[in-house]
């Protein structure tokens, strides 16, 4: 069954997005004559009528709230039939300006000082690769945000990694002075300093590097890529 996904869209615009997505997904069926433009338009209209009842009358969504909708459907006998048992709706409510403004005003006064502070990361050892590289999970305020890999050399090590938050950073291969038996301590004590000199990159690139590093030692490390795909889709 194909799935209609709107991605993230303000509630005031979901109907147009549903119509556009459905026409895009069924363009081949329209070309072959299996469906007509009228068939697709009618199906989109029927779905939007149902969604209006759900979003406006049941969930009380404001026009500036953000929604994400998905539902499976099939084409049978020149008709588009939606499977409402698969309907999924996510809703993010708009916070009124009067609630946001005081918080922003207070934060703005502290922002310059915040920029002067070093981002404090912590690490947790994940394991070692088949060739002896050491891999660490990087955390920020208790949440997993990145990964680091260290290649021990003779009295030195090569370090590289990436973090996704609080801002995407890429630490390119860097040579550091450290003995093999002190690598864990060195990484724990210096991870924040190392990333203070890292390069700002797009989030997609940081996610790719993090997943690449984690996959070297532990199959099934998930979270970064899935979250990013949802964000990009929206």
């Amino acid at each position: 069954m194909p799935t209609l996904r709107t991605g993230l869209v303000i509630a005031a615009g979901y109907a147009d997005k549903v119509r556009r997505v459905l026409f895009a997904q069924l363009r081949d069926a329209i070309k072959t004559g299996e469906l007509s433009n009228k068939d697709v338009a009618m199906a989109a209209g029927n779905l939007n009528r149902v969604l209006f009842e759900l979003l406006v009358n049941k969930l009380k969504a404001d026009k500036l709230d953000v929604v994400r909708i998905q539902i499976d459907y099939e084409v049978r006998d020149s008709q588009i039939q939606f499977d409402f048992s698969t309907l999924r709706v996510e809703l993010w409510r708009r916070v009124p300006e009067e609630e946001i403004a005081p918080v922003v005003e207070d934060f703005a006064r502290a922002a310059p000082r915040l920029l002067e502070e070093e981002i404090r990361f912590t690490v947790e050892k994940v394991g070692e690769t088949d060739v002896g590289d050491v891999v660490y999970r990087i955390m920020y305020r208790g949440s997993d945000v990145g990964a680091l890999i260290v290649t021990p050399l003779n009295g030195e090590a090569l370090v590289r990694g990436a973090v996704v938050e609080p801002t995407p950073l890429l630490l390119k291969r860097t040579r550091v002075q450290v003995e093999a038996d002190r690598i864990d301590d060195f990484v724990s004590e210096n991870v924040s300093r190392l990333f203070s000199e890292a390069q700002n990159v797009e989030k997609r690139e940081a996610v790719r590097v993090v997943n690449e590093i984690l996959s070297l030692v532990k199959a099934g490390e998930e979270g970064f890529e899935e979250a990013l795909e949802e964000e990009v889709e929206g």
Side-chain angles (χ1 to χ4, degrees), residues 1-233:
M1 263 191 184
T3 301
L4 184 154
R5 294 186 176 90
T6 63
L8 297 177
V9 60
I10 62 171
Y14 77 86
D16 287 344
K17 189 64 178 290
V18 164
R19 191 176 191 277
R20 288 199 302 269
V21 171
L22 199 60
F23 265 100
Q25 291 182 334
L26 295 174
R27 59 180 175 272
D28 290 339
I30 294 173
K31 288 180 181 179
T32 62
E34 182 181 6
L35 291 171
S36 68
N37 286 324
K38 183 179 179 181
D39 293 330
V40 179
M42 181 177 297
N46 288 337
L47 178 58
N48 280 330
R49 179 166 62 88
V50 172
L51 291 174
F52 179 87
E53 180 68 23
L54 173 63
L55 292 171
V56 177
N57 295 331
K58 298 295 184 182
L59 296 176
K60 308 298 182 184
D62 183 88
K63 291 182 178 181
L64 294 181
D65 290 343
V66 175
V67 299
R68 178 160 53 194
I69 303 162
Q70 73 175 54
I71 186 171
D72 295 344
Y73 66 91
E74 63 179 339
V75 178
R76 182 187 301 170
D77 300 328
S78 297
Q79 289 187 335
I80 301 165
Q81 299 179 354
F82 294 101
D83 181 359
F84 285 98
S85 68
T86 67
L87 176 63
R88 180 184 177 192
V89 174
E90 297 171 90
L91 173 64
W92 291 267
R93 297 196 183 279
R94 176 178 177 268
V95 179
E97 177 66 22
E98 56 268 23
E99 293 182 27
I100 295 178
V103 178
V104 173
E105 185 177 336
D106 288 343
F107 182 80
R109 288 192 286 266
R113 175 175 54 80
L114 182 64
L115 288 175
E116 295 174 358
E117 296 177 356
E118 181 180 68
I119 301 175
R120 301 299 301 172
F121 295 113
T122 58
V123 296
E124 177 183 298
K125 186 174 179 179
V126 177
E128 298 185 9
T129 68
D130 294 338
V131 295
D133 294 336
V134 188
V135 173
Y136 300 86
R137 180 191 303 274
I138 301 175
M139 291 163 287
Y140 178 67
R141 295 183 176 177
S143 298
D144 294 341
V145 297
L148 189 76
I149 185 167
V150 180
T151 303
L153 302 173
N154 186 20
E156 297 180 324
L158 294 177
V159 182
R160 70 180 180 91
V163 295
V164 178
E165 295 175 348
T167 184
L169 296 171
L170 176 64
L171 178 64
K172 294 185 177 180
R173 198 178 301 272
T174 302
R175 187 181 295 268
V176 297
Q177 301 293 318
V178 60
E179 297 296 335
D181 60 353
R182 289 207 69 252
I183 287 179
D184 287 348
D185 291 338
F186 175 86
V187 171
S188 180
E189 295 168 3
N190 292 277
V191 60
S192 298
R193 178 183 60 80
L194 289 168
F195 274 94
S196 69
E197 301 175 3
Q199 176 184 353
N200 287 97
V201 295
E202 291 188 0
K203 191 171 186 178
R204 184 183 298 276
E205 183 175 0
V207 168
R208 178 185 62 79
V209 173
V210 171
N211 288 335
E212 172 191 305
I213 292 173
L214 292 177
S215 69
L216 294 175
V217 291
K218 190 174 182 181
E221 291 285 354
E222 298 175 352
F224 296 98
E225 188 169 5
E226 180 180 354
L228 181 63
E229 286 176 352
E230 290 185 1
E231 178 179 308
V232 171
E233 179 187 30

